[in-house]
Structure formats: C-alpha cells, structure tokens
Amino acid sequence: DELPYPDREFIQQSMFIKKNLKIGKKIAWMMATRGCPFICNFCTSKVVWTISYRKRSPKNIVGEIKELVEKYNVNHINFADDTLTIDKQWTFDLCKEIRRSGLNITWSCNSQTSVVTRDMLYAMRKVGCEQIWFGVESGSKKIRWAMEKFITTESIINAFQWAHEAGLKTRAYMIVGGPGESYETIKESEELIAKINPTAISWTINTMLPGLKGYDDAVKKGIIE
C-alpha cells in the first residue's frame, strides 16, 4: 500500500484501451498481489516475484479501480496476479469493498483450483467477476506431479463445476510436453477437458526457462545445450 498507483500516462493507457475494444469493454490490467507460494516447475513466477505472497489492502485496490474508472472510463479489470484467491478471507474482504464502492465494473482473474470454494466463487460473481482462469496443465496426475503442480483431479472438477454454477465463464490453461508426456497422458487431458467443459482453453507447449528446476534438469540430460 505504500507504493503509488502506476503512472498510466507513461504506459499510454488510453491507447491500450482503444486497441482492446473488440469485445465492447474498456479494459485495464492491474495487480492486487505479488508472489505465489506454489512451486510449479514450469512457472517463472517464483523467480520473478518469489514465493512470498503479499497483498494490497482491498481499500487500496478499489482506490486504483476508481482512478481507472474516473480517468479512463474503464469498465472491466483484468487482474494479472498469478493466483488472486490464495487468501480466502482477503478475497471475501475484496468482494465486500467492491460492493461498498458502488462501482459498476466487471472483472476477471487467475486462480488455482485448490484455493477456491463454492461460496467464494458466488461472492465474486455477485460483485462483477465474469471470468476465472484456472491452471489445469494436464489431465494426468502423473504429469501434474512431475511438474510439481500438486492439485487433485477432484479439485479441478469441483472448481469448474462451482464456477459454472455461479455463472462464471472459465478458462483452462493446459500444457503439452510435461515430463513423461505421452499419447496416453494427452488423452487423459482430453478426457478431463470433456468433464470440466471450460468456456475457453489455452494450450501451451512446456518450455524450460532459465531459473527453473526443469531447465537445470534438461541441461544435465543434454536436452538443452
């Protein structure tokens, strides 16, 4: 909270908004938290932000949203946080602060299936959350564990079901090419997608980047020179 709000004139916020009117929304991105306590070995967040999870206060966050609405007529916020909903009580407090503000906005965010509840998703929907994006990565528990993505299939199915019940659109982030990937494990991903029925899917290829354990392992094995 001690940090000032971003200088959006410097990043030409108005130009960004104009270029992103295709869906009829005036969108701005912001961050409410930094750091992610999870250790997924395909993700550089822990290198960039560390695993120390720190949060701005809900009042401070809503203050920035108000500034975006007043200065740029923004009506939709995309939260760029790696995992917005790690702290359950803080998430409910943020929802309460958005409601108290009377702001007429919609918003979207990233989360992880292990850190949401049905009540939380309903609360988020009531104060304008339209979309939630979950990192699923693989339908195979073996592949998820190899990537140190320690979420259960049950938590994935539950999170998507609760989100759909609450009226939220969903996105499943999926990775192909994790350690030990095969046609059989890709088939498991296809089967899980059919079960959770996300509104959208983002497929990416597993890419080892410097600073990650997977990168160091790939160098040792001669996969990366």
Side-chain angles (χ1 to χ4, degrees):
D1 284 9
E2 295 175 6
L3 296 173
Y5 296 151
D7 180 355
R8 293 180 183 269
E9 291 300 306
F10 179 76
I11 62 170
Q12 297 181 296
Q13 184 69 70
S14 296
M15 185 181 294
F16 178 89
I17 291 169
K18 287 176 185 177
K19 286 183 177 290
N20 285 272
L21 277 172
K22 295 176 184 176
I23 62 170
K25 298 267 189 182
K26 292 186 176 180
I27 300 170
W29 289 76
M30 61 181 286
M31 293 186 74
T33 68
R34 283 183 179 166
C36 179
F38 303 111
I39 58 170
C40 309
N41 65 25
F42 56 82
C43 179
T44 58
S45 174
K46 57 183 175 289
V47 179
V48 177
W49 301 118
T50 80
I51 60 171
S52 173
Y53 181 68
R54 54 266 194 211
K55 311 175 294 288
R56 295 164 59 187
S57 68
K59 188 174 182 179
N60 181 267
I61 294 161
V62 169
E64 185 177 348
I65 296 173
K66 284 181 178 177
E67 181 179 278
L68 286 164
V69 171
E70 292 166 2
K71 288 186 69 174
Y72 301 101
N73 202 25
V74 164
N75 56 20
H76 185 89
I77 299 293
N78 281 338
F79 285 103
D81 311 57
D82 294 301
T83 314
L84 185 73
T85 62
I86 289 172
D87 185 324
K88 182 178 179 181
Q89 186 57 54
W90 177 88
T91 304
F92 278 110
D93 290 345
L94 176 60
C95 290
K96 289 175 185 175
E97 192 64 35
I98 293 172
R99 186 178 68 245
R100 273 197 294 264
S101 73
L103 288 167
N104 184 27
I105 58 151
T106 54
W107 51 284
S108 306
C109 67
N110 292 301
S111 185
Q112 199 203 87
T113 60
S114 67
V115 293
V116 295
T117 64
R118 179 186 275 112
D119 290 347
M120 179 192 291
L121 294 174
Y122 271 86
M124 291 164 62
R125 183 69 188 98
K126 284 179 181 177
V127 293
C129 185
E130 286 189 336
Q131 302 179 43
I132 189 162
W133 313 314
F134 290 115
V136 176
E137 324 315 350
S138 175
S140 166
K141 178 182 175 181
K142 182 184 80 170
I143 299 299
R144 290 197 303 272
W145 257 239
M147 293 191 292
E148 299 185 76
K149 179 85 175 194
F150 300 119
I151 57 172
T152 65
T153 301
E154 180 183 17
S155 82
I156 296 169
I157 293 171
N158 284 342
F160 277 84
Q161 180 180 328
W162 297 336
H164 294 153
E165 289 173 359
L168 292 163
K169 293 180 180 178
T170 56
R171 179 180 296 274
Y173 292 116
M174 304 296 296
I175 293 176
V176 176
E181 190 82 275
S182 65
Y183 288 115
E184 288 73 22
T185 57
I186 292 172
K187 184 68 175 175
E188 288 184 72
S189 291
E190 293 175 343
E191 290 169 354
L192 182 59
I193 286 168
K195 283 183 181 178
I196 62 177
N197 192 29
T199 310
I201 308 168
S202 292
W203 287 98
T204 55
I205 296 171
N206 191 37
T207 305
M208 291 296 98
L209 298 171
L212 300 178
K213 178 177 177 292
Y215 180 90
D216 295 336
D217 290 344
V219 171
K220 288 176 183 175
K221 293 176 182 177
I223 298 171
I224 297 174
E225 296 181 358

